Short mmCIF file of all heavy atoms in Angstrom, two decimals:
data_model
loop_
_atom_site.label_atom_id
_atom_site.label_comp_id
_atom_site.label_asym_id
_atom_site.label_seq_id
_atom_site.Cartn_x
_atom_site.Cartn_y
_atom_site.Cartn_z
N ASN X 89 -65.66 18.11 263.97
CA ASN X 89 -64.80 16.98 264.28
C ASN X 89 -63.93 16.64 263.08
O ASN X 89 -64.25 16.98 261.94
CB ASN X 89 -65.63 15.76 264.67
CG ASN X 89 -66.45 15.98 265.92
OD1 ASN X 89 -66.04 16.69 266.83
ND2 ASN X 89 -67.62 15.34 265.98
N ASN X 90 -62.85 15.91 263.34
CA ASN X 90 -61.93 15.48 262.29
C ASN X 90 -61.53 16.65 261.39
O ASN X 90 -61.60 16.56 260.16
CB ASN X 90 -62.55 14.35 261.47
CG ASN X 90 -61.54 13.63 260.61
OD1 ASN X 90 -60.34 13.63 260.90
ND2 ASN X 90 -62.01 13.03 259.52
N LEU X 91 -61.10 17.72 262.01
CA LEU X 91 -60.73 18.91 261.27
C LEU X 91 -59.54 18.66 260.35
O LEU X 91 -58.65 17.87 260.67
CB LEU X 91 -60.39 20.04 262.23
CG LEU X 91 -61.59 20.66 262.96
CD1 LEU X 91 -61.13 21.43 264.19
CD2 LEU X 91 -62.36 21.57 262.01
N ASN X 92 -59.53 19.34 259.22
CA ASN X 92 -58.40 19.29 258.31
C ASN X 92 -58.02 20.71 257.92
O ASN X 92 -58.78 21.66 258.15
CB ASN X 92 -58.71 18.42 257.08
CG ASN X 92 -59.83 18.95 256.23
OD1 ASN X 92 -59.73 20.03 255.67
ND2 ASN X 92 -60.89 18.17 256.10
N PRO X 93 -56.84 20.92 257.34
CA PRO X 93 -56.39 22.28 257.03
C PRO X 93 -57.33 23.04 256.09
O PRO X 93 -57.35 24.27 256.13
CB PRO X 93 -55.03 22.06 256.38
CG PRO X 93 -54.53 20.80 257.01
CD PRO X 93 -55.75 19.94 257.15
N GLU X 94 -58.11 22.34 255.27
CA GLU X 94 -59.06 23.00 254.39
C GLU X 94 -60.20 23.67 255.14
O GLU X 94 -60.94 24.47 254.56
CB GLU X 94 -59.64 22.00 253.38
CG GLU X 94 -58.60 21.37 252.46
CD GLU X 94 -57.87 22.40 251.63
OE1 GLU X 94 -58.55 23.22 250.99
OE2 GLU X 94 -56.63 22.38 251.61
N ASP X 95 -60.36 23.36 256.42
CA ASP X 95 -61.38 23.99 257.24
C ASP X 95 -60.94 25.35 257.78
O ASP X 95 -61.74 26.05 258.41
CB ASP X 95 -61.76 23.08 258.41
CG ASP X 95 -62.36 21.77 257.96
OD1 ASP X 95 -63.19 21.78 257.03
OD2 ASP X 95 -62.00 20.72 258.55
N THR X 96 -59.69 25.71 257.59
CA THR X 96 -59.19 26.99 258.07
C THR X 96 -59.92 28.14 257.39
O THR X 96 -59.94 28.24 256.17
CB THR X 96 -57.68 27.11 257.83
OG1 THR X 96 -56.99 26.11 258.59
CG2 THR X 96 -57.17 28.48 258.23
N ALA X 97 -60.53 29.01 258.20
CA ALA X 97 -61.33 30.11 257.67
C ALA X 97 -61.85 30.93 258.84
O ALA X 97 -61.74 30.53 260.00
CB ALA X 97 -62.50 29.59 256.84
N VAL X 98 -62.43 32.08 258.52
CA VAL X 98 -63.24 32.80 259.48
C VAL X 98 -64.66 32.27 259.35
O VAL X 98 -65.22 32.22 258.26
CB VAL X 98 -63.21 34.32 259.24
CG1 VAL X 98 -64.13 35.03 260.23
CG2 VAL X 98 -61.79 34.85 259.37
N TYR X 99 -65.24 31.88 260.47
CA TYR X 99 -66.58 31.31 260.50
C TYR X 99 -67.56 32.36 261.01
O TYR X 99 -67.34 32.97 262.06
CB TYR X 99 -66.61 30.07 261.40
CG TYR X 99 -66.00 28.86 260.74
CD1 TYR X 99 -64.63 28.80 260.53
CD2 TYR X 99 -66.79 27.80 260.32
CE1 TYR X 99 -64.06 27.71 259.90
CE2 TYR X 99 -66.23 26.70 259.70
CZ TYR X 99 -64.86 26.65 259.49
OH TYR X 99 -64.30 25.56 258.88
N TYR X 100 -68.64 32.54 260.27
CA TYR X 100 -69.63 33.56 260.57
C TYR X 100 -70.98 32.93 260.85
O TYR X 100 -71.44 32.06 260.10
CB TYR X 100 -69.81 34.52 259.39
CG TYR X 100 -68.57 35.31 259.04
CD1 TYR X 100 -67.70 34.86 258.06
CD2 TYR X 100 -68.30 36.52 259.66
CE1 TYR X 100 -66.57 35.58 257.72
CE2 TYR X 100 -67.18 37.25 259.33
CZ TYR X 100 -66.32 36.78 258.36
OH TYR X 100 -65.21 37.51 258.02
N CYS X 101 -71.63 33.40 261.88
CA CYS X 101 -72.99 33.03 262.20
C CYS X 101 -73.95 33.95 261.44
O CYS X 101 -73.68 35.14 261.28
CB CYS X 101 -73.21 33.17 263.70
SG CYS X 101 -74.85 32.79 264.30
N ASN X 102 -75.06 33.39 260.96
CA ASN X 102 -76.03 34.17 260.21
C ASN X 102 -77.45 33.86 260.66
O ASN X 102 -77.80 32.69 260.85
CB ASN X 102 -75.90 33.88 258.71
CG ASN X 102 -76.85 34.69 257.87
OD1 ASN X 102 -77.91 34.21 257.47
ND2 ASN X 102 -76.49 35.94 257.60
N LEU X 103 -78.24 34.91 260.82
CA LEU X 103 -79.64 34.77 261.23
C LEU X 103 -80.54 35.13 260.06
O LEU X 103 -80.35 36.18 259.44
CB LEU X 103 -79.92 35.69 262.43
CG LEU X 103 -81.33 35.67 263.03
CD1 LEU X 103 -81.27 35.90 264.53
CD2 LEU X 103 -82.20 36.75 262.39
N GLY X 104 -81.50 34.25 259.76
CA GLY X 104 -82.46 34.50 258.71
C GLY X 104 -82.13 33.81 257.40
O GLY X 104 -82.53 34.30 256.33
N VAL X 105 -81.44 32.69 257.43
CA VAL X 105 -81.09 31.95 256.22
C VAL X 105 -82.34 31.65 255.40
O VAL X 105 -83.36 31.22 255.94
CB VAL X 105 -80.35 30.64 256.57
CG1 VAL X 105 -80.11 29.80 255.32
CG2 VAL X 105 -79.03 30.95 257.27
N ARG X 106 -82.24 31.87 254.08
CA ARG X 106 -83.39 31.71 253.20
C ARG X 106 -83.52 30.27 252.70
O ARG X 106 -82.52 29.59 252.46
CB ARG X 106 -83.26 32.65 251.99
CG ARG X 106 -82.77 34.05 252.31
CD ARG X 106 -83.69 34.80 253.24
NE ARG X 106 -83.14 36.12 253.55
CZ ARG X 106 -83.52 37.25 252.99
NH1 ARG X 106 -84.49 37.24 252.07
NH2 ARG X 106 -82.97 38.40 253.34
N LEU X 107 -84.76 29.84 252.52
CA LEU X 107 -85.06 28.53 251.95
C LEU X 107 -85.86 28.71 250.66
O LEU X 107 -86.67 29.63 250.55
CB LEU X 107 -85.87 27.70 252.94
CG LEU X 107 -85.20 27.35 254.27
CD1 LEU X 107 -86.16 26.60 255.16
CD2 LEU X 107 -83.93 26.54 254.04
N PRO X 108 -85.66 27.82 249.69
CA PRO X 108 -84.74 26.67 249.70
C PRO X 108 -83.33 26.97 249.24
O PRO X 108 -82.51 26.05 249.19
CB PRO X 108 -85.42 25.72 248.72
CG PRO X 108 -85.98 26.62 247.69
CD PRO X 108 -86.47 27.84 248.44
N SER X 109 -83.02 28.23 248.92
CA SER X 109 -81.73 28.57 248.33
C SER X 109 -80.56 28.44 249.29
O SER X 109 -79.42 28.28 248.85
CB SER X 109 -81.77 30.00 247.78
OG SER X 109 -81.90 30.94 248.84
N LEU X 110 -80.82 28.56 250.58
CA LEU X 110 -79.80 28.62 251.62
C LEU X 110 -78.92 29.87 251.51
O LEU X 110 -77.81 29.90 252.05
CB LEU X 110 -78.94 27.35 251.65
CG LEU X 110 -79.72 26.05 251.92
CD1 LEU X 110 -78.78 24.85 251.90
CD2 LEU X 110 -80.45 26.12 253.25
N ARG X 111 -79.41 30.88 250.83
CA ARG X 111 -78.74 32.17 250.82
C ARG X 111 -78.81 32.77 252.21
O ARG X 111 -79.76 32.55 252.96
CB ARG X 111 -79.42 33.10 249.81
CG ARG X 111 -78.80 34.48 249.70
CD ARG X 111 -79.48 35.30 248.63
NE ARG X 111 -79.03 36.67 248.62
CZ ARG X 111 -77.95 37.11 247.98
NH1 ARG X 111 -77.20 36.26 247.28
NH2 ARG X 111 -77.60 38.39 248.04
N TYR X 112 -77.79 33.56 252.54
CA TYR X 112 -77.70 34.15 253.86
C TYR X 112 -78.82 35.14 254.13
O TYR X 112 -79.37 35.76 253.23
CB TYR X 112 -76.35 34.83 254.06
CG TYR X 112 -75.99 35.80 252.96
CD1 TYR X 112 -76.47 37.10 252.97
CD2 TYR X 112 -75.14 35.41 251.93
CE1 TYR X 112 -76.14 37.99 251.95
CE2 TYR X 112 -74.81 36.29 250.92
CZ TYR X 112 -75.31 37.59 250.94
OH TYR X 112 -74.97 38.46 249.94
N GLY X 113 -79.14 35.31 255.39
CA GLY X 113 -80.13 36.28 255.83
C GLY X 113 -79.52 37.62 256.15
O GLY X 113 -78.36 37.90 255.81
N ASP X 114 -80.28 38.46 256.82
CA ASP X 114 -79.93 39.87 256.97
C ASP X 114 -78.94 40.18 258.09
O ASP X 114 -78.42 41.29 258.15
CB ASP X 114 -81.19 40.70 257.22
CG ASP X 114 -82.08 40.77 256.00
OD1 ASP X 114 -81.60 40.55 254.88
OD2 ASP X 114 -83.29 41.05 256.17
N TYR X 115 -78.67 39.22 258.96
CA TYR X 115 -77.87 39.51 260.14
C TYR X 115 -76.67 38.60 260.23
O TYR X 115 -76.78 37.38 260.14
CB TYR X 115 -78.72 39.38 261.41
CG TYR X 115 -79.87 40.36 261.44
CD1 TYR X 115 -81.13 39.99 261.01
CD2 TYR X 115 -79.68 41.65 261.92
CE1 TYR X 115 -82.18 40.89 261.03
CE2 TYR X 115 -80.73 42.56 261.95
CZ TYR X 115 -81.98 42.17 261.50
OH TYR X 115 -83.01 43.07 261.53
N TRP X 116 -75.50 39.23 260.44
CA TRP X 116 -74.23 38.52 260.56
C TRP X 116 -73.56 38.81 261.89
O TRP X 116 -73.63 39.92 262.42
CB TRP X 116 -73.26 38.98 259.47
CG TRP X 116 -73.58 38.55 258.08
CD1 TRP X 116 -74.17 39.31 257.11
CD2 TRP X 116 -73.31 37.29 257.48
NE1 TRP X 116 -74.27 38.59 255.94
CE2 TRP X 116 -73.74 37.35 256.14
CE3 TRP X 116 -72.72 36.11 257.95
CZ2 TRP X 116 -73.62 36.27 255.27
CZ3 TRP X 116 -72.61 35.04 257.08
CH2 TRP X 116 -73.05 35.13 255.76
N GLY X 117 -72.85 37.81 262.40
CA GLY X 117 -71.90 38.05 263.46
C GLY X 117 -70.59 38.57 262.88
O GLY X 117 -70.42 38.66 261.66
N LEU X 118 -69.66 38.91 263.74
CA LEU X 118 -68.38 39.44 263.31
C LEU X 118 -67.38 38.35 262.92
O LEU X 118 -66.36 38.65 262.30
CB LEU X 118 -67.77 40.32 264.40
CG LEU X 118 -68.54 41.60 264.71
CD1 LEU X 118 -67.85 42.36 265.83
CD2 LEU X 118 -68.67 42.47 263.48
N GLY X 119 -67.66 37.12 263.26
CA GLY X 119 -66.83 36.01 262.86
C GLY X 119 -65.86 35.56 263.93
O GLY X 119 -65.51 36.31 264.84
N THR X 120 -65.43 34.32 263.81
CA THR X 120 -64.43 33.75 264.70
C THR X 120 -63.46 32.93 263.86
O THR X 120 -63.86 32.18 262.97
CB THR X 120 -65.08 32.91 265.82
OG1 THR X 120 -64.07 32.45 266.73
CG2 THR X 120 -65.83 31.71 265.26
N GLN X 121 -62.17 33.11 264.12
CA GLN X 121 -61.14 32.46 263.32
C GLN X 121 -60.94 31.02 263.75
O GLN X 121 -60.80 30.72 264.94
CB GLN X 121 -59.81 33.21 263.46
CG GLN X 121 -58.64 32.57 262.73
CD GLN X 121 -58.74 32.70 261.23
OE1 GLN X 121 -59.02 33.79 260.72
NE2 GLN X 121 -58.52 31.60 260.52
N VAL X 122 -60.92 30.12 262.77
CA VAL X 122 -60.57 28.72 262.99
C VAL X 122 -59.34 28.42 262.15
O VAL X 122 -59.34 28.63 260.93
CB VAL X 122 -61.72 27.78 262.60
CG1 VAL X 122 -61.26 26.32 262.62
CG2 VAL X 122 -62.90 27.98 263.54
N THR X 123 -58.29 27.96 262.80
CA THR X 123 -57.05 27.61 262.12
C THR X 123 -56.71 26.17 262.42
O THR X 123 -56.58 25.78 263.59
CB THR X 123 -55.90 28.53 262.55
OG1 THR X 123 -56.24 29.89 262.29
CG2 THR X 123 -54.62 28.18 261.80
N VAL X 124 -56.55 25.37 261.38
CA VAL X 124 -56.21 23.95 261.51
C VAL X 124 -54.83 23.76 260.92
O VAL X 124 -54.63 23.89 259.71
CB VAL X 124 -57.24 23.05 260.82
CG1 VAL X 124 -56.89 21.59 261.06
CG2 VAL X 124 -58.64 23.37 261.32
N SER X 125 -53.87 23.47 261.79
CA SER X 125 -52.48 23.38 261.36
C SER X 125 -51.71 22.51 262.32
O SER X 125 -51.97 22.49 263.52
CB SER X 125 -51.86 24.78 261.30
OG SER X 125 -50.48 24.71 260.98
#
């Protein structure tokens, strides 16, 4: 919500996020483009 242009990016889903570091896990999606303009 309340998107701003700084949110423009490719957004990737990740499975297996590590705790407590929040480093990404082993599985990625291909991504979906979000453009705020």
Side-chain angles (χ1 to χ4, degrees):
N89 298 327
N90 194 25
L91 287 162
N92 63 63
E94 298 300 310
D95 298 317
T96 296
V98 178
Y99 284 70
Y100 298 93
C101 179
N102 181 261
L103 181 146
V105 174
R106 318 299 178 100
L107 297 176
S109 67
L110 300 179
R111 181 177 172 85
Y112 52 82
D114 291 338
Y115 298 95
W116 290 101
L118 294 179
T120 185
Q121 177 71 47
V122 171
T123 302
V124 183
S125 176

